[in-house]
Amino acid sequence: MTRLLDNLAEVRERIAAAAIRSGRTSDAVTLVAVTKYVEVPLIRELMAAGCLDLGEARPQALWNKAAELADSTGTIRWHMIGHLQRNKVERTLPLTSLIHSADSVRLISEIDAVAQRLNRVADVLLEVNISQDDTKHGFQPEQLLTSLDQLAGFPNIAIRGLMAMASREGDERQTREEFIRLRELRDQAQSNLGDQAILKQLSIGMSGDFEIAIEEGATIVRIGSQLFEGIDT
Ligand SMILES: *Cc1c(COP(=O)(O)O)cnc(C)c1O
């Protein structure tokens, strides 16, 4: 397990250094440990090291791991980071602190309806397709701006910011440009929304590009493979 702790320490150091380069401190950036590659024993090791923000990309996997870790309900903050089908909202929302992948008005309308029945407000990030890749989920930037009024009108939804993934094949310059575009879109959306919502969060950055993301304003990074490198998962 020392390898996991070494990896975690290295990731935390790199986060802190990138935060300083962006004029912030490491507490301005939340590390979400993406646990989709591993089983519960390794997750418990992460939790023991203080990693309590955990991310899963598939609803079913999140349900199963939340059930296995039910003794830690209330300690873990689960993040839904992958595509969420509307018929899975009912089971997913009660387990989840933040849905990063709110990618359509129809999905958000369903999350609002379920949140209303649960008598709570659902925190969501709007997923944006910044890579112009048609196979990816997410709002197109223009579509996001024209949908904002409708999205801000759902009474049981709190929009906390934006989420995106950089192009898979992009080099560093392209990745940085995509992250800058997302930040500018956030600033535009914030100015359109006024005080209807505070879009503080930018969920960008994975194992291969989290330092660039932090330099460009990420407040949440979602890191999986870098944490588990060299470990037999
Ligand atoms: C898997 C996944 C990550 C983590 O990716 P790594 O490259 O393993 O760090 C982040 N975000 C999403 C949406 C993912 O599906």
Side-chain angles (χ1 to χ4, degrees):
M1 285 320 138
T2 50
R3 182 67 200 256
L4 181 64
L5 297 182
D6 286 350
N7 289 350
L8 178 61
E10 191 205 312
V11 165
R12 283 176 167 156
E13 273 169 33
R14 288 169 60 189
I15 288 173
I20 286 166
R21 290 197 294 279
S22 75
R24 297 177 294 163
T25 51
S26 60
D27 55 10
V29 181
T30 299
L31 167 62
V32 172
V34 176
T35 51
K36 65 188 181 192
Y37 311 103
V38 299
E39 299 301 328
V40 159
L42 273 176
I43 300 177
R44 289 197 192 278
E45 295 293 330
L46 279 174
M47 291 171 60
C51 259
L52 298 171
D53 286 278
L54 305 178
E56 282 288 330
R58 289 175 45 246
Q60 184 93 43
L62 191 152
W63 306 340
N64 293 346
K65 284 174 180 161
E68 287 184 77
L69 290 161
D71 56 319
S72 301
T73 304
T75 306
I76 300 174
R77 290 175 294 273
W78 283 108
H79 295 251
M80 182 67 224
I81 63 173
H83 182 58
L84 178 60
Q85 298 85 352
R86 280 181 299 147
N87 63 1
K88 297 193 172 143
V89 172
E90 183 101 49
R91 264 189 88 172
T92 306
L93 185 60
L95 303 170
T96 308
S97 300
L98 181 63
I99 297 174
H100 293 227
S101 44
D103 58 11
S104 72
V105 174
R106 270 158 44 106
L107 172 63
I108 293 165
S109 168
E110 176 63 16
I111 298 171
D112 179 60
V114 172
Q116 212 156 343
R117 289 203 290 282
L118 296 170
N119 198 22
R120 60 173 275 197
V121 170
D123 288 325
V124 307
L125 305 180
L126 305 178
E127 181 172 354
V128 182
N129 186 340
I130 45 171
S131 65
Q132 338 260 280
D133 175 348
D134 291 342
T135 65
K136 283 218 175 110
H137 292 286
F139 289 92
Q140 297 301 326
E142 318 75 56
Q143 183 198 13
L144 179 109
L145 291 173
T146 56
S147 306
L148 272 183
D149 276 339
Q150 189 184 3
L151 295 174
F154 289 118
N156 290 65
I157 295 284
I159 305 170
R160 299 298 185 191
L162 305 183
M163 178 271 213
M165 272 179 279
S167 310
R168 218 180 277 275
E169 62 290 345
D171 58 12
E172 177 177 334
R173 193 181 55 87
Q174 185 183 347
T175 300
R176 192 178 294 279
E177 280 170 4
E178 289 174 357
F179 290 157
I180 291 171
R181 272 211 301 280
L182 187 76
R183 186 184 67 218
E184 291 174 348
L185 180 66
R186 187 270 309 271
D187 295 345
Q188 179 70 56
Q190 182 65 76
S191 106
N192 292 8
L193 280 169
D195 56 9
Q196 291 184 87
I198 306 293
L199 306 185
K200 177 170 175 275
Q201 307 296 345
L202 279 181
S203 171
I204 42 177
M206 310 182 6
S207 289
D209 57 20
F210 69 89
E211 287 152 305
I212 304 171
I214 293 168
E215 287 165 11
E216 299 306 337
T219 61
I220 304 177
V221 291
R222 311 177 308 268
I223 299 179
S225 35
Q226 195 68 47
L227 292 175
F228 306 111
E229 199 177 73
I231 295 167
D232 200 6
T233 57

